[in-house]
PDB file of all heavy atoms in Angstrom:
ATOM      1  N   ALA P1481      -7.106  -0.228  -3.740  1.00 78.00           N
ATOM      2  CA  ALA P1481      -6.665  -1.574  -4.214  1.00 78.00           C
ATOM      3  C   ALA P1481      -5.358  -1.509  -4.825  1.00 78.00           C
ATOM      4  O   ALA P1481      -4.455  -2.346  -4.525  1.00 78.00           O
ATOM      5  CB  ALA P1481      -7.725  -2.111  -5.263  1.00 78.00           C
ATOM      6  N   PHE P1482      -5.085  -0.474  -5.658  1.00 79.00           N
ATOM      7  CA  PHE P1482      -3.733  -0.404  -6.256  1.00 79.00           C
ATOM      8  C   PHE P1482      -2.659  -0.060  -5.271  1.00 79.00           C
ATOM      9  O   PHE P1482      -1.556  -0.603  -5.245  1.00 79.00           O
ATOM     10  CB  PHE P1482      -3.726   0.705  -7.353  1.00 79.00           C
ATOM     11  CG  PHE P1482      -4.178   0.238  -8.683  1.00 79.00           C
ATOM     12  CD1 PHE P1482      -5.457  -0.276  -8.854  1.00 79.00           C
ATOM     13  CD2 PHE P1482      -3.323   0.281  -9.741  1.00 79.00           C
ATOM     14  CE1 PHE P1482      -5.907  -0.740 -10.170  1.00 79.00           C
ATOM     15  CE2 PHE P1482      -3.715  -0.210 -11.042  1.00 79.00           C
ATOM     16  CZ  PHE P1482      -5.001  -0.672 -11.134  1.00 79.00           C
ATOM     17  N   GLY P1483      -2.985   0.859  -4.237  1.00 81.00           N
ATOM     18  CA  GLY P1483      -1.949   1.156  -3.278  1.00 81.00           C
ATOM     19  C   GLY P1483      -1.647   0.010  -2.369  1.00 81.00           C
ATOM     20  O   GLY P1483      -0.437  -0.262  -2.142  1.00 81.00           O
ATOM     21  N   ILE P1484      -2.629  -0.734  -1.919  1.00 79.00           N
ATOM     22  CA  ILE P1484      -2.391  -1.888  -1.048  1.00 79.00           C
ATOM     23  C   ILE P1484      -1.716  -2.972  -1.814  1.00 79.00           C
ATOM     24  O   ILE P1484      -0.759  -3.700  -1.285  1.00 79.00           O
ATOM     25  CB  ILE P1484      -3.666  -2.414  -0.458  1.00 79.00           C
ATOM     26  CG1 ILE P1484      -4.278  -1.378   0.522  1.00 79.00           C
ATOM     27  CG2 ILE P1484      -3.566  -3.772   0.279  1.00 79.00           C
ATOM     28  CD1 ILE P1484      -5.718  -1.724   1.032  1.00 79.00           C
ATOM     29  N   ALA P1485      -2.034  -3.202  -3.081  1.00 78.00           N
ATOM     30  CA  ALA P1485      -1.415  -4.247  -3.907  1.00 78.00           C
ATOM     31  C   ALA P1485       0.061  -3.997  -4.077  1.00 78.00           C
ATOM     32  O   ALA P1485       0.896  -4.918  -4.079  1.00 78.00           O
ATOM     33  CB  ALA P1485      -2.074  -4.310  -5.206  1.00 78.00           C
ATOM     34  N   PHE P1486       0.500  -2.758  -4.167  1.00 81.00           N
ATOM     35  CA  PHE P1486       1.908  -2.451  -4.261  1.00 81.00           C
ATOM     36  C   PHE P1486       2.700  -2.686  -2.991  1.00 81.00           C
ATOM     37  O   PHE P1486       3.911  -2.645  -3.004  1.00 81.00           O
ATOM     38  CB  PHE P1486       2.042  -0.943  -4.703  1.00 81.00           C
ATOM     39  CG  PHE P1486       2.036  -0.736  -6.123  1.00 81.00           C
ATOM     40  CD1 PHE P1486       1.051  -1.271  -6.963  1.00 81.00           C
ATOM     41  CD2 PHE P1486       3.101   0.028  -6.782  1.00 81.00           C
ATOM     42  CE1 PHE P1486       1.029  -1.010  -8.303  1.00 81.00           C
ATOM     43  CE2 PHE P1486       3.083   0.136  -8.118  1.00 81.00           C
ATOM     44  CZ  PHE P1486       2.028  -0.327  -8.895  1.00 81.00           C
ATOM     45  N   LEU P1487       1.993  -2.991  -1.922  1.00 80.00           N
ATOM     46  CA  LEU P1487       2.624  -3.234  -0.617  1.00 80.00           C
ATOM     47  C   LEU P1487       2.941  -4.765  -0.482  1.00 80.00           C
ATOM     48  O   LEU P1487       3.782  -5.126   0.395  1.00 80.00           O
ATOM     49  CB  LEU P1487       1.883  -2.847   0.578  1.00 80.00           C
ATOM     50  CG  LEU P1487       1.520  -1.349   0.667  1.00 80.00           C
ATOM     51  CD1 LEU P1487       0.669  -1.112   1.931  1.00 80.00           C
ATOM     52  CD2 LEU P1487       2.842  -0.516   0.821  1.00 80.00           C
ATOM     53  N   ILE P1488       2.442  -5.641  -1.392  1.00 79.00           N
ATOM     54  CA  ILE P1488       2.656  -7.020  -1.198  1.00 79.00           C
ATOM     55  C   ILE P1488       4.161  -7.384  -1.356  1.00 79.00           C
ATOM     56  O   ILE P1488       4.575  -8.202  -0.505  1.00 79.00           O
ATOM     57  CB  ILE P1488       1.800  -7.769  -2.309  1.00 79.00           C
ATOM     58  CG1 ILE P1488       0.348  -7.652  -2.032  1.00 79.00           C
ATOM     59  CG2 ILE P1488       2.116  -9.339  -2.269  1.00 79.00           C
ATOM     60  CD1 ILE P1488      -0.609  -8.282  -3.134  1.00 79.00           C
ATOM     61  N   PRO P1489       4.916  -6.866  -2.301  1.00 81.00           N
ATOM     62  CA  PRO P1489       6.330  -7.203  -2.347  1.00 81.00           C
ATOM     63  C   PRO P1489       7.057  -6.803  -1.085  1.00 81.00           C
ATOM     64  O   PRO P1489       8.075  -7.459  -0.659  1.00 81.00           O
ATOM     65  CB  PRO P1489       6.812  -6.469  -3.546  1.00 81.00           C
ATOM     66  CG  PRO P1489       5.631  -6.278  -4.425  1.00 81.00           C
ATOM     67  CD  PRO P1489       4.485  -6.066  -3.480  1.00 81.00           C
ATOM     68  N   VAL P1490       6.683  -5.645  -0.484  1.00 79.00           N
ATOM     69  CA  VAL P1490       7.332  -5.206   0.717  1.00 79.00           C
ATOM     70  C   VAL P1490       7.106  -6.151   1.902  1.00 79.00           C
ATOM     71  O   VAL P1490       8.014  -6.526   2.692  1.00 79.00           O
ATOM     72  CB  VAL P1490       6.814  -3.804   1.087  1.00 79.00           C
ATOM     73  CG1 VAL P1490       7.553  -3.241   2.306  1.00 79.00           C
ATOM     74  CG2 VAL P1490       7.021  -2.815  -0.049  1.00 79.00           C
ATOM     75  N   VAL P1491       5.848  -6.765   1.873  1.00 78.00           N
ATOM     76  CA  VAL P1491       5.512  -7.693   2.980  1.00 78.00           C
ATOM     77  C   VAL P1491       6.402  -8.976   2.756  1.00 78.00           C
ATOM     78  O   VAL P1491       6.872  -9.596   3.700  1.00 78.00           O
ATOM     79  CB  VAL P1491       4.020  -8.060   2.929  1.00 78.00           C
ATOM     80  CG1 VAL P1491       3.744  -9.187   3.835  1.00 78.00           C
ATOM     81  CG2 VAL P1491       3.236  -6.748   3.272  1.00 78.00           C
ATOM     82  N   MET P1492       6.533  -9.425   1.487  1.00 79.00           N
ATOM     83  CA  MET P1492       7.402 -10.578   1.191  1.00 79.00           C
ATOM     84  C   MET P1492       8.825 -10.332   1.682  1.00 79.00           C
ATOM     85  O   MET P1492       9.371 -11.234   2.340  1.00 79.00           O
ATOM     86  CB  MET P1492       7.386 -10.824  -0.293  1.00 79.00           C
ATOM     87  CG  MET P1492       6.034 -11.268  -0.840  1.00 79.00           C
ATOM     88  SD  MET P1492       5.942 -11.301  -2.755  1.00 79.00           S
ATOM     89  CE  MET P1492       7.449 -12.268  -3.039  1.00 79.00           C
ATOM     90  N   VAL P1493       9.356  -9.238   1.353  1.00 79.00           N
ATOM     91  CA  VAL P1493      10.792  -8.925   1.794  1.00 79.00           C
ATOM     92  C   VAL P1493      10.888  -8.847   3.312  1.00 79.00           C
ATOM     93  O   VAL P1493      11.850  -9.323   3.938  1.00 79.00           O
ATOM     94  CB  VAL P1493      11.281  -7.652   1.132  1.00 79.00           C
ATOM     95  CG1 VAL P1493      12.631  -7.312   1.674  1.00 79.00           C
ATOM     96  CG2 VAL P1493      11.339  -7.787  -0.335  1.00 79.00           C
ATOM     97  N   GLY P1494       9.829  -8.302   3.938  1.00 74.00           N
ATOM     98  CA  GLY P1494       9.797  -8.184   5.406  1.00 74.00           C
ATOM     99  C   GLY P1494       9.800  -9.591   6.062  1.00 74.00           C
ATOM    100  O   GLY P1494      10.524  -9.832   7.057  1.00 74.00           O
ATOM    101  N   LEU P1495       8.929 -10.423   5.541  1.00 74.00           N
ATOM    102  CA  LEU P1495       8.926 -11.842   6.038  1.00 74.00           C
ATOM    103  C   LEU P1495      10.265 -12.597   5.789  1.00 74.00           C
ATOM    104  O   LEU P1495      10.662 -13.391   6.603  1.00 74.00           O
ATOM    105  CB  LEU P1495       7.748 -12.591   5.369  1.00 74.00           C
ATOM    106  CG  LEU P1495       6.396 -12.169   5.639  1.00 74.00           C
ATOM    107  CD1 LEU P1495       5.300 -12.932   4.829  1.00 74.00           C
ATOM    108  CD2 LEU P1495       6.050 -12.350   7.178  1.00 74.00           C
TER     109      LEU P1495
END
Side-chain angles (χ1 to χ4, degrees):
F1482 273 62
I1484 294 173
F1486 270 53
L1487 297 179
I1488 295 177
V1490 182
V1491 175
M1492 291 170 52
V1493 175
L1495 293 175

